[in-house]
Amino acid sequence: QSTLVLAEHNNGKLNPVTLSAITAAQKVGGTVSCLVAGTKCGSIVEQLSKATGITKILVAENANLHGLLPEPLAPLIVATQQQFGFTHILAGASAFGKTVLPRVAALLDVSPISDVTAITNSDTFVRTIYAGNAVLTLKSNDGVKVITIRPTSFPAAPMGDVIASSEASTQTVNSSPNSEFIGQELTKSDRPELSSAKVVVSGGRGLKSGENFELLYKLADKMGAAVGASRAAVDAGFVSNDLQVGQTGKILAPELYIAVGISGAIQHLAGMKDSKTIVAINKDPEAPIFQVADIGLVADLFAAVPELTEKIGKK
Amino acid sequence: MSLRILVGVKRVIDYAVKIRVKPDKSGVITEGVKHSMNPFDEIAIEEAVRMKEKKIAKEIVAFSCGPAQCQETLRTALAMGADRGIHVEVAGPQYETLQPLHISKMLAKLAKDEQIDIIIVGKQAIDDDCNQTAQMTAALLDWPQATSASKIEAKDGSLQVVREIDGGLETIKVKLPTVVSADLRLNEPRYATLPNIMKAKKKPIKKLTPKDLGVDVSPRIQIVTVEEPPVRLAGAKVENVDMVVEKLKALGHA
């Protein structure tokens, strides 16, 4: 077995999902190599080279990879697989991994496996279906396995002292005449990033308006937490979609998740039920969120949240 | 512009139904369970219909693959504004191991046969949660892809598409022909009106087999087990905020 892990980065910073993918790759067995593709790879290779468990880093630095569009990137990955005969290709199940890897799989005529939560052996994988309401274990019949892994299901590979060797890719990268990268607009926030935050305060339809999310921002800032939201709150227009926690949004596993005014729809639970500790504040004692909460408080959030904000952190 | 649009619509268990796993762990119970169109595919159809209303598109072909009941899903698409339907019938054990790769091959073949300019599908189906079909169809056709679209503007033989990515939005431009997948914020799908539901009954649905399209549907995966997710044990409810603070302190969070 030999696995190629596609590194995810923004030409400056390595995305930690890559380190989770390296851990997953080790469960496949065999050697693990990484592909760093982009327009500025130097610092990424430097960051990645200390990760334990990888034997080689392939570097494809090319102006045609501007914006890391899937059209030039997928053929590069396929050519790299064919050059070295990798049996597995892995990436994080992030927006980037989901964009690129299915395209790679189709070019290889294999059926990709999305959002894997556990690896049983080199051809048997576990993933959730129906928004986490059923768990599927499947065996792949394909020659090359193309897999995205759920980052919260695999810990990050630790950084060690051994420096993995890196070499320039010998593959050519063709420009993509039919697609063009125009730009990215990332939401700026002083709070921690939602996907990697240790504490998350999340609001639902019970907040009643976008303005009322201010209550949650105050609590979050006191706790150094990120702010999330249920799909119901996003659909109601209270907050933007990038805050959405759930099967169709972000899947989190923080140390502490505080759900405020969230009833606990199935698709929301799929995004947060792996949190270590769950606190729920909701005025409806029958809300399904209480079935997963470690600490449940039946109360009016408009009184309880300010009180919690005031009392937390006091000796 | 007078574009031809192909939209993929999948019949799935309705989003509001509680999923139950079969006792023999071979799958989930589908018999006697309410099904409807995959919600992301409703958004895909809606976007195509809006393009037709804006005279960007001239024809919308809806495609569905699965058992006979997929015809109902196609009727919904026709009632929302699609012009005609194509049903590729696959049922029984073959349907259980059908993967997005197989569907992509059908879509790619149909795109060529029907001289399609834009394929629109939902970003993922709410049953298998794969999020693969658009990307793979684009690869097979060697067309550009614009996945998780939240805004689409057609101009000069291209689409400018705003995509949902982690932590924000990305804007790309893709030349036609192209494949798009619809995300939640792209639009709000309309409800089919009664007169349109009646009209949809008269619109044609062509029935095909995978063989007609030259697509081999042999399984690429074996289902080992389908199980209930592990149940998380709920803790106790507490009486007041002070008790929440106390418990959080004990856990080192306050």
Side-chain angles (χ1 to χ4, degrees):
Chain A
Q1 313 293 341
S2 59
T3 300
L4 179 67
V5 172
L6 174 63
E8 177 167 349
H9 64 92
N10 62 3
N11 288 307
K13 213 169 148 238
L14 182 72
N15 189 314
V17 303
T18 310
L19 300 173
S20 295
I22 291 170
T23 301
Q26 281 163 333
K27 302 210 183 254
V28 169
T31 58
V32 181
S33 305
C34 282
L35 174 65
V36 179
T39 51
K40 243 178 88 190
C41 301
S43 72
I44 307 302
V45 173
E46 202 184 304
Q47 292 164 55
L48 193 57
S49 62
K50 293 180 195 113
T52 51
I54 52 175
T55 48
K56 185 166 61 181
I57 302 173
L58 296 159
V59 188
E61 191 171 283
N62 195 301
N64 287 338
L65 291 168
H66 174 61
L68 287 163
L69 294 174
E71 291 82 6
L73 188 51
L76 168 69
I77 297 167
V78 171
T80 306
Q81 184 276 326
Q82 281 163 352
Q83 182 182 1
F84 296 95
F86 291 111
T87 55
H88 293 68
I89 302 173
L90 258 71
S94 55
F96 173 71
K98 288 174 183 173
T99 301
V100 177
L101 281 214
R103 194 168 177 110
V104 170
L107 295 175
L108 291 166
D109 191 25
V110 304
S111 183
I113 305 155
S114 293
D115 224 346
V116 164
T117 56
I119 294 174
T120 310
N121 57 45
S122 63
D123 62 9
T124 307
F125 309 96
V126 181
R127 60 185 300 270
T128 64
I129 52 175
Y130 291 95
N133 286 294
V135 180
L136 166 68
T137 303
L138 67 94
K139 187 168 179 283
S140 165
N141 298 337
D142 284 316
V144 181
K145 276 66 165 168
V146 178
I147 297 159
T148 58
I149 59 103
R150 181 173 292 182
T152 55
S153 299
F154 299 91
M159 293 298 175
D161 300 327
V162 184
I163 307 285
S165 66
S166 60
E167 59 184 71
S169 167
T170 53
Q171 299 295 337
T172 51
V173 180
N174 295 315
S175 64
S176 65
N178 299 325
S179 62
E180 186 191 334
F181 176 79
I182 306 220
Q184 276 185 359
E185 200 185 316
L186 300 181
T187 313
K188 287 189 184 73
S189 171
D190 295 334
R191 297 187 188 95
E193 213 270 311
L194 187 54
S195 312
S196 54
K198 290 202 163 32
V199 181
V200 174
V201 178
S202 219
R205 196 161 14 212
L207 266 295
K208 294 202 170 92
S209 77
E211 291 75 58
N212 290 337
F213 262 74
E214 198 56 43
L215 291 174
L216 299 192
Y217 298 146
K218 281 186 188 143
L219 176 60
D221 290 345
K222 191 117 182 233
M223 301 188 79
V227 171
S230 70
R231 178 164 162 181
V234 171
D235 282 356
F238 298 171
V239 289
S240 69
N241 188 51
D242 52 319
L243 295 192
Q244 188 188 314
V245 176
Q247 182 70 10
T248 54
K250 295 213 168 49
I251 292 163
L252 315 175
E255 299 277 319
L256 175 63
Y257 188 89
I258 303 179
V260 179
I262 291 177
S263 66
I266 285 161
Q267 86 96 26
H268 185 75
L269 299 183
M272 47 65 82
K273 69 179 165 51
D274 291 334
S275 306
K276 205 163 171 208
T277 303
I278 298 173
V279 178
I281 301 173
N282 200 305
K283 67 176 180 208
D284 173 11
E286 303 300 322
I289 191 79
F290 288 119
Q291 291 165 20
V292 300
D294 303 288
I295 306 168
L297 176 65
V298 181
D300 176 12
L301 72 93
F302 294 102
V305 174
E307 189 185 341
L308 182 60
T309 308
E310 193 207 313
K311 287 181 176 168
I312 212 138
K314 272 194 184 164
K315 296 279 175 246
Chain B
M1 280 189 270
S2 53
L3 305 174
R4 298 161 69 87
I5 304 181
L6 175 64
V7 182
V9 292
K10 187 176 188 182
R11 175 181 179 266
V12 297
I13 294 181
D14 189 88
Y15 73 94
V17 171
K18 176 152 175 52
I19 297 301
R20 284 184 304 146
V21 168
K22 286 183 188 168
D24 70 356
K25 297 186 178 176
S26 65
V28 304
I29 296 171
T30 55
E31 294 83 14
V33 169
K34 186 188 176 196
H35 283 67
S36 24
M37 188 190 293
N38 175 40
F40 289 106
D41 297 345
E42 286 182 352
I43 300 173
I45 274 281
E46 175 66 32
E47 195 65 16
V49 174
R50 289 185 190 189
M51 284 184 181
K52 195 177 169 189
E53 285 167 349
K54 285 186 213 151
K55 310 267 186 250
I56 297 165
K58 69 169 178 198
E59 192 183 27
I60 303 166
V61 182
F63 156 84
S64 193
C65 176
Q69 299 93 314
C70 286
Q71 301 243 349
E72 294 159 23
T73 313
L74 283 170
R75 289 286 165 210
T76 305
L78 297 173
M80 287 174 74
D83 297 290
R84 57 193 173 89
I86 296 174
H87 176 212
V88 176
E89 188 160 359
V90 177
Q94 224 166 29
Y95 185 61
E96 277 161 28
T97 55
L98 201 71
Q99 294 288 295
L101 178 64
H102 302 121
I103 302 296
S104 302
K105 289 180 177 185
M106 295 177 197
L107 282 167
K109 177 71 167 63
L110 286 170
K112 287 200 168 149
D113 293 351
E114 303 279 348
Q115 293 164 321
I116 294 297
D117 302 288
I118 306 176
I119 299 176
I120 313 180
V121 293
K123 75 160 174 179
Q124 72 189 59
I126 61 164
D127 51 3
D128 60 23
D129 294 323
C130 278
N131 191 336
Q132 299 170 347
T133 302
Q135 297 87 315
M136 288 199 285
T137 309
L140 296 171
L141 288 161
D142 197 20
W143 290 3
Q145 66 183 56
T147 51
S148 298
S150 62
K151 196 176 170 201
I152 302 173
E153 270 175 279
K155 47 184 171 190
D156 316 323
S158 300
L159 299 183
Q160 181 154 318
V161 178
V162 178
R163 304 180 55 228
E164 304 271 356
I165 57 167
D166 298 334
L169 298 169
E170 175 177 284
T171 307
I172 58 167
K173 199 167 155 186
V174 286
K175 279 191 192 150
L176 299 178
T178 190
V179 184
V180 177
S181 76
D183 212 324
L184 200 61
R185 282 197 290 180
L186 184 58
N187 60 51
E188 262 188 59
R190 69 195 63 194
Y191 289 102
T193 59
L194 191 59
N196 285 338
I197 292 170
M198 299 311 287
K199 260 191 255 169
K201 290 187 177 168
K202 295 199 183 94
K203 292 181 180 175
I205 294 179
K206 186 158 79 175
K207 220 169 142 181
L208 296 171
T209 65
K211 214 176 148 199
D212 293 332
L213 297 173
V215 176
D216 175 6
V217 291
S218 348
R220 298 305 191 98
I221 61 157
Q222 284 165 254
I223 296 167
V224 180
T225 53
V226 175
E227 296 176 85
E228 301 272 357
V231 179
R232 194 188 165 103
L233 292 176
K237 281 185 187 151
V238 296
E239 292 298 317
N240 53 42
V241 170
D242 289 331
M243 289 171 78
V244 175
V245 174
E246 197 180 301
K247 286 212 164 197
L248 287 178
K249 271 188 182 154
L251 291 165
H253 282 301

